[in-house]
Amino acid sequence: RGRLHLLPRRLLRLARDPSLRDPRLRPRGWVALCDGDAVRPDDACEIVFFHTRTARRLRVPLPELRRHRIVGFTDGLVVLLHERTTAVRVLHPFTRDAVDFPPLLAMYLEVVRQKASLLDMNAAVCSSASSSADSSIAVVVWFPYTNVVLATDPGSSDWEILHRGHYVGCALLFQGRLYATLSCSSEIVRLYPPRRKGGPLKVIAHAPHSADRKVCNFYLVESGGRMLLAVRQPAPYANGAEWNAMDWSRRVVCRLY
């Protein structure tokens, strides 16, 4: 209580939303920073936030991080994984409202079975419907080097396999939905909500034909309320010689679509 003065008065007056389902009440515009002191935020039990509009820097003490690992950020919300139980929690860092989800361990041992993937997992908070009045939040998780995407919601007692057979490259939450690029593919897909349970991924776009997946890195980014595809690749040789996928020593070109 003695450190609440660190928060802006406007944040202290935020309307409470225990369900965290209303995107209007999330701390949008606040981006979590690495503090540069080699201490993980979850170990320090505090997170430094940066406000993209005002450039304000804010250090927020969060004892709720104790015995947890941070596995994702969405609209300023923090996604936590309990170190012992593997239960997942979504936390509003300013109001301290939290929503709990079932443990991940049983499903993880069944379909993933790679310890390194659990340590490096990624998570996002999605909306189950377009209207905040009748929606709830869902958590979607995916793992490096693993072709499984899992999801759950507050009313579920376990996790379900959302997609299987696809390696997620770069993912972006946009307007409550989760989109991604796929490794070794030019397709840009919607991960959540799924087209139908067990059905194929919904393809929303393809990378330009000039962007060779073998020599390019794809990134989904949001800017000005639009979703963009950033393509990073080695610059072509001046003499017109062919690319070398392993040669990143020369100039790099980035293109936005």
Side-chain angles (χ1 to χ4, degrees), residues 170-228:
C170 175
L172 173 71
L173 189 87
F174 183 73
Q175 297 179 351
R177 300 184 172 192
L178 187 63
Y179 300 91
T181 63
L182 300 177
S183 300
C184 303
S185 172
S186 64
E187 295 178 338
I188 301 169
V189 300
R190 189 183 73 194
L191 293 179
Y192 188 92
R195 174 179 289 177
R196 64 179 183 274
K197 188 175 181 179
L201 289 170
K202 180 177 178 60
V203 179
I204 65 164
H206 289 80
H209 293 295
S210 60
D212 187 347
R213 197 65 176 94
K214 296 179 180 179
V215 297
C216 298
N217 294 331
F218 292 171
Y219 306 94
L220 292 178
V221 296
E222 180 180 359
S223 177
R226 304 187 68 180
M227 182 166 59
L228 304 177

Side-chain angles (χ1 to χ4, degrees), residues 107 110-111 147-152 158-165 194 197-198:
M107 180 62 74
E110 179 182 343
V111 299
N147 63 353
V148 175
V149 179
L150 306 178
T152 191
D158 203 351
W159 293 74
E160 66 173 348
I161 300 175
L162 195 63
H163 303 291
R164 188 195 291 268
K197 188 175 181 179

